[in-house]
């Protein structure tokens, strides 16, 4: 198997696992979203620690810990991804899988918007049009829901912030995730201990199945991240960008077909507008990338 095919396989695995997450978190009930998040953070740190030792990444981890600039950024990234995980788990376990999928559909557009507002990037006309259609979709969904789609917006903004912070940190995937989980692990541990002291914890007392699943939350968190890292080093970013839509598509289908969430006409209209915006954005991005590739090839030939 070629490296590119392996990269595509890793990409499918990463986004496929993320897309199936709505099936996992309900298995952890009666634990609440906060308790599930705390265990997810704690056991993710354990898994990352094992990986650091197994892959002999101690030197890289020490170098990262000594880097003051990155160590100012990664705690913020830890807060952003923890908030994203909390919103998502709460959304899935409260029956809002479809709205959660919307957050990941619009995430690429939010990332572009961040580039304009925070990094001074300039948008091309079709990108502005896509953002305009997405804004209209939010208005339509607000009218349908009787409120703004807070879950979707919270997921998109928190994950977009996480991506921006990770880009600025520019640190290794294993080392940075180890630091991020270590930053919030004391808070997670204190929360689990507090629940236990009040007799409201579910790690023990609910049977070995729930205990195993809570521990497994660390594994299901780390595995797709490792697959994503393996894919990112083997395939072009344009291909990786297309694969990312597998996650919200799978989540949306689960919400509609498996969880049977109610989808009135107004909600379909809002999602249709989002999909139109994404198609326009993706086609424009691919066309622009192709033009840039041809321009560089022409310049190289001229030289």
């Amino acid at each position: 198997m070629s490296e590119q095919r392996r990269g595509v396989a890793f990409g499918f695995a990463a986004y496929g696992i993320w897309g199936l997450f709505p099936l996992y978190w309900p298995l952890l009930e009666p634990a609440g979203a906060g308790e599930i998040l705390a265990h997810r953070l704690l056991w993710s740190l354990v898994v990352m620690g094992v990986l650091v030792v197994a892959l002999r990444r101690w030197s890289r981890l020490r170098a990262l810990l000594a880097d003051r600039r990155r160590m100012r950024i990664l705690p913020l990234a830890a807060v952003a991804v923890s908030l994203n995980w909390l919103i998502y788990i709460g959304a899935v376990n409260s029956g809002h899988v479809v709205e959660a999928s919307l957050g990941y559909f619009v995430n690429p557009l939010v990332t572009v918007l961040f580039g304009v507002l925070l990094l001074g990037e300039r948008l091309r006309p079709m990108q502005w049009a896509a953002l305009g259609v997405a804004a209209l979709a939010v208005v339509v969904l607000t009218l349908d829901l009787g409120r703004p789609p807070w879950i979707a917006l919270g997921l998109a903004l928190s994950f977009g912030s996480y991506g921006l912070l990770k880009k600025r940190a520019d640190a290794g995937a294993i080392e940075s995730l180890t630091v991020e989980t270590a930053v919030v692990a004391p808070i997670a541990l204190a929360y689990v201990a507090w629940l236990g002291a009040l007799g409201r914890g579910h790690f023990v007392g609910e049977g070995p199945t729930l205990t195993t699943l809570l521990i497994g939350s660390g594994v299901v968190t780390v595995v797709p991240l490792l697959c994503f890292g393996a894919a990112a080093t083997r395939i072009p970013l344009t291909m990786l960008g297309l694969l990312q839509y597998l996650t919200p598509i799978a989540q949306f289908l689960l919400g509609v077909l498996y969880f049977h969430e109610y989808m009135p006409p107004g909600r379909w209209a809002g999602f249709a507008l989002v999909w139109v915006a994404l198609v326009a954005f993706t086609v424009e991005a691919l066309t622009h990338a192709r033009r840039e590739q041809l321009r560089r090839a022409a310049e190289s030939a001229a030289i």
Side-chain angles (χ1 to χ4, degrees):
M1 182 183 292
S2 67
E3 283 299 295
Q4 181 160 326
R5 287 185 178 179
R6 287 181 181 176
V8 172
F10 279 123
F12 267 101
Y15 289 113
I17 293 171
W18 282 326
L20 295 176
F21 267 7
L23 297 176
Y24 191 83
W25 306 124
L27 299 176
L28 306 185
E29 293 178 334
E35 184 177 7
I36 294 172
L37 173 65
H39 279 284
R40 186 180 185 183
L41 292 168
L42 289 172
W43 296 111
S44 293
L45 177 59
V46 172
V47 175
M48 295 311 299
V50 171
L51 287 175
V52 168
V53 173
L55 299 177
R56 299 180 181 179
R57 298 292 185 93
W58 282 113
S59 59
R60 296 184 187 183
L61 181 59
R62 284 195 298 267
L64 179 58
L65 293 172
D67 190 319
R68 292 184 178 181
R69 184 187 70 83
R70 289 189 171 101
M71 288 304 297
R72 286 195 297 268
I73 297 173
L74 289 179
L76 298 176
V79 172
V81 75
S82 298
L83 179 61
N84 180 267
W85 290 353
L86 179 63
I87 295 172
Y88 184 75
I89 295 169
V92 169
N93 286 5
S94 62
H96 294 89
V97 175
V98 169
E99 188 176 346
S101 75
L102 176 64
Y104 294 107
F105 272 123
V106 302
N107 181 66
L109 300 175
V110 169
T111 300
V112 169
L113 184 61
F114 278 1
V116 174
L117 299 178
L118 302 177
L119 302 179
E121 296 178 0
R122 305 180 75 174
L123 294 186
R124 298 178 291 277
M126 186 61 75
Q127 291 176 312
W128 278 116
L131 286 176
V133 174
L136 177 60
V138 172
V139 173
V140 171
L141 289 167
T142 298
L143 294 175
D144 174 75
L145 294 167
R147 58 169 176 81
W150 294 120
I151 292 173
L153 293 175
L155 287 170
L157 291 172
S158 59
F159 198 74
S161 300
Y162 180 64
L164 178 64
L165 291 165
K166 292 282 280 188
K167 180 178 180 180
R168 288 188 171 181
D170 191 24
I174 291 177
E175 295 78 24
S176 60
L177 185 60
T178 302
V179 170
E180 291 161 23
T181 50
V183 166
V184 291
I187 300 174
L189 182 60
Y191 183 68
V192 169
W194 178 72
L195 288 176
L198 294 178
R200 293 163 52 187
H202 298 89
F203 184 64
V204 294
E206 297 289 340
T209 299
L210 182 58
T211 301
T212 302
L213 289 171
L214 285 170
I215 294 173
S217 65
V219 177
V220 301
T221 296
V222 172
V223 168
L225 287 171
L226 293 178
C227 290
F228 173 80
T233 60
R234 289 174 170 84
I235 60 177
L237 287 177
T238 51
M239 187 178 296
L240 198 64
L242 292 175
L243 287 175
Q244 73 176 327
Y245 294 123
L246 289 174
T247 295
I249 288 172
Q251 293 173 354
F252 177 82
L253 292 175
L254 283 173
V256 174
L257 301 178
Y258 183 80
F259 292 104
H260 304 293
E261 293 188 17
Y262 180 54
M263 286 289 291
R267 209 159 303 170
W268 279 111
F271 269 86
L273 287 171
V274 169
W275 294 331
V276 168
L278 285 175
V279 168
F281 173 79
T282 303
V283 170
E284 195 281 337
L286 292 174
T287 302
H288 179 74
R290 178 61 177 169
R291 287 174 180 170
E292 286 296 304
Q293 185 179 13
L294 292 174
R295 182 184 62 80
R296 287 193 294 269
E299 290 177 351
S300 299
I303 294 174

